[in-house]
């Protein structure tokens, strides 16, 4: 129903906007809750056991994280008499809130729900979950000062490594994208303390790249690596561009995805964290392997039964192809 859909999307936008605009912890918590409640019907709209299971998992994790956040901010108010987001000073609620927000966006080691949830969803809802849903917790993470840097660096490094290792063994594209998301968020959290503007840049480029990747898979109607082998017959031009999109996600030089990684490594080296920068760069190699694997399956292998290939690319709707064209161009050539 379009009315229900409009209401839910409005709720989704409203929740995030409330969190953006709030300087009081209670209001921020309320925004996060509205956001979660709005996306749940969108996730369960296909009455499929996998979708319902994913929605339940998502609801439980998000409710737990929101409860942790509320508990931490109440504790902070009790200890310091302060509800203001910018004025957090006590280390205990600060740590707890950082962990709650990390749980919300799926940073390692609180990441295990993300691949499972994403795997049960439609690609469009998956895209919303991978991009829009990260905004509100990130706004809060950017606003809280004087967190213990060790916590953030540990979370960030664990995420880049887990995102690299986890994706190696996957055949399902949505799970690969989930692990890719964990790895990218790890990079953002690594640099959060030292340069918040770089974190925002990384978030923005990640959004653009993920957007084009999800739209490519949606146009192909493919959800596993095997299904990509016949994508050549479905959308020839797109198939030849997709490896560039994927390698941009991996962060290879002439492409857009290289920019945030390069600047982050440079900033880490400036902060005398060369070992950390080296580890992060090596973990990017892990991610690069599974992006290469998808590119290989898509572009360099031919499906044996190519005669039955359908060609929906001639009839694909502009609602999908226009944003796809813009996102793909941005993903490949923004460097």
């Amino acid at each position: 129903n379009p009315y229900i859909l409009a209401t839910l999307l409005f709720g989704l936008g409203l929740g995030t906007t409330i969190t953006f605009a709030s300087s009081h912890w209670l209001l921020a918590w309320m925004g996060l809750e509205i956001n979660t409640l709005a996306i749940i019907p969108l996730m369960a709209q296909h009455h499929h056991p996998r979708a319902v299971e994913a929605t339940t998992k998502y609801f439980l994790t998000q409710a737990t994280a929101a409860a942790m956040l509320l508990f931490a901010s109440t504790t902070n108010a009790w200890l310091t008499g302060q509800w203001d987001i910018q004025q957090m000073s006590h280390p205990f609620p600060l740590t707890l809130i950082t962990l709650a927000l990390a749980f919300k966006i799926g940073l390692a080691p609180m990441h295990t729900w993300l691949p499972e949830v994403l795997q049960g969803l439609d690609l469009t809802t998956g895209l919303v979950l991978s991009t829009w849903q990260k905004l509100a917790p990130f706004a809060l993470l950017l606003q809280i000062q004087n967190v213990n840097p060790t916590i953030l660096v540990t979370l960030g490094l664990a995420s880049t490594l887990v995102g690299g290792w986890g994706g190696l063994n996957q055949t399902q594209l949505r799970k690969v994208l989930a692990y890719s998301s964990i790895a990218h968020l790890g990079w953002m959290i690594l640099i959060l303390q030292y340069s918040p503007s770089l974190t925002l840049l990384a978030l923005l480029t990640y959004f653009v790249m993920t957007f084009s990747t999800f739209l490519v898979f949606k146009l192909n109607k493919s959800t596993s690596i095997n299904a990509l082998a016949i994508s050549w017959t479905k959308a020839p031009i797109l198939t030849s561009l997709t490896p560039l999109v994927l390698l941009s996600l991996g962060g290879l030089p002439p492409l857009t995805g290289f920019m945030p990684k390069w600047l982050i490594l440079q900033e880490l080296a400036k902060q005398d964290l060369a070992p950390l920068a080296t580890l992060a760069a090596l973990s990017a190699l892990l991610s690069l392997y599974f992006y290469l694997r998808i590119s290989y399956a898509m572009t360099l292998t031919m499906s044996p039964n190519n005669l039955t290939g359908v060609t929906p690319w001639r009839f694909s709707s502009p609602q999908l192809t226009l944003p796809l064209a813009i996102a793909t161009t941005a993903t490949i050539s923004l460097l």
Side-chain angles (χ1 to χ4, degrees):
N1 191 326
Y3 294 116
I4 294 175
L5 185 68
T7 311
L8 290 174
L9 289 175
F10 175 70
L12 206 60
L14 182 72
T16 306
T17 315
I18 286 177
T19 307
F20 278 174
S22 60
S23 59
H24 191 288
W25 272 117
L26 207 57
L27 209 58
W29 169 80
M30 192 175 78
L32 290 172
E33 284 293 285
I34 292 173
N35 198 343
T36 307
L37 289 177
I39 200 172
I40 278 174
L42 289 172
M43 291 167 80
Q45 64 182 335
H46 303 287
H47 289 294
H48 188 273
R50 287 303 300 261
V52 174
E53 182 189 343
T55 312
T56 312
K57 283 177 180 170
Y58 182 76
F59 174 70
L60 290 173
T61 50
Q62 297 297 309
T64 311
M68 260 173 86
L69 187 98
L70 190 61
F71 171 67
S73 46
T74 317
T75 311
N76 185 59
W78 179 49
L79 291 168
T80 60
Q82 204 40 279
W83 275 103
D84 205 87
I85 295 178
Q86 308 271 357
Q87 307 289 334
M88 296 280 286
S89 53
H90 201 282
F92 175 66
L94 260 174
T95 308
L96 208 53
I97 275 179
T98 311
L99 289 176
L101 292 170
F103 193 21
K104 252 196 176 318
I105 54 179
L107 287 172
M110 289 87 81
H111 68 283
T112 38
W113 61 270
L114 185 59
E116 295 291 325
V117 167
L118 208 55
Q119 180 56 31
L121 296 184
D122 178 36
L123 282 168
T124 321
T125 325
L127 175 61
V128 173
L129 185 71
S130 300
T131 53
W132 185 256
Q133 293 300 92
K134 311 277 188 226
L135 281 172
F138 247 99
L140 294 175
L141 273 171
L142 280 164
Q143 283 182 76
I144 48 179
Q145 268 97 29
N146 53 34
V147 186
N148 186 353
T150 325
I151 295 173
L152 286 179
V153 164
T154 312
L155 282 171
L157 197 58
S159 297
T160 53
L161 289 166
V162 163
W165 285 121
L168 294 181
N169 204 17
Q170 302 298 335
T171 56
Q172 297 294 326
L173 291 176
R174 283 167 294 187
K175 279 194 177 174
V176 168
L177 285 169
Y179 281 111
S180 140
S181 162
I182 294 165
H184 279 272
L185 291 169
W187 280 86
M188 293 169 215
I189 296 294
L190 269 181
I191 202 67
L192 190 66
Q193 281 282 287
Y194 310 108
S195 170
S197 52
L198 266 187
T199 297
L200 279 173
L201 175 76
L203 189 66
L204 198 66
T205 47
Y206 162 72
F207 275 14
V208 172
M209 297 184 297
T210 309
F211 198 67
S212 51
T213 316
F214 265 100
L215 288 182
V216 164
F217 293 156
K218 190 173 165 55
L219 191 72
N220 270 329
K221 299 188 174 62
S222 48
T223 52
S224 73
I225 292 185
N226 287 346
L228 283 178
I230 53 165
S231 57
W232 188 250
T233 49
K234 292 182 190 170
I237 301 158
L238 195 64
T239 309
S240 48
L241 279 177
T242 311
L244 291 174
V245 173
L246 289 163
L247 293 177
S248 183
L249 265 171
L252 272 194
L255 306 163
T256 311
F258 177 56
M259 174 171 54
K261 287 197 164 128
W262 179 26
L263 293 169
I264 285 171
L265 291 174
Q266 188 183 355
E267 184 62 38
L268 286 173
K270 273 186 198 161
Q271 301 285 345
D272 287 339
L273 294 169
L276 188 66
T278 313
L279 269 172
L282 287 174
S283 73
L285 284 176
L286 292 167
S287 306
L288 195 60
Y289 174 78
F290 59 78
Y291 295 129
L292 271 172
R293 193 164 144 228
I294 298 176
S295 313
Y296 178 77
M298 199 162 178
T299 331
L300 298 174
T301 51
M302 282 291 267
S303 163
N305 50 352
N306 219 359
L307 296 172
T308 56
V310 285
T311 51
W313 53 279
R314 298 181 190 177
F315 318 110
S316 51
S317 63
Q319 289 92 335
L320 184 59
T321 44
L322 181 67
L324 178 57
I326 296 167
T328 308
T329 312
T331 304
I332 294 171
S333 55
L334 270 184
L335 183 63

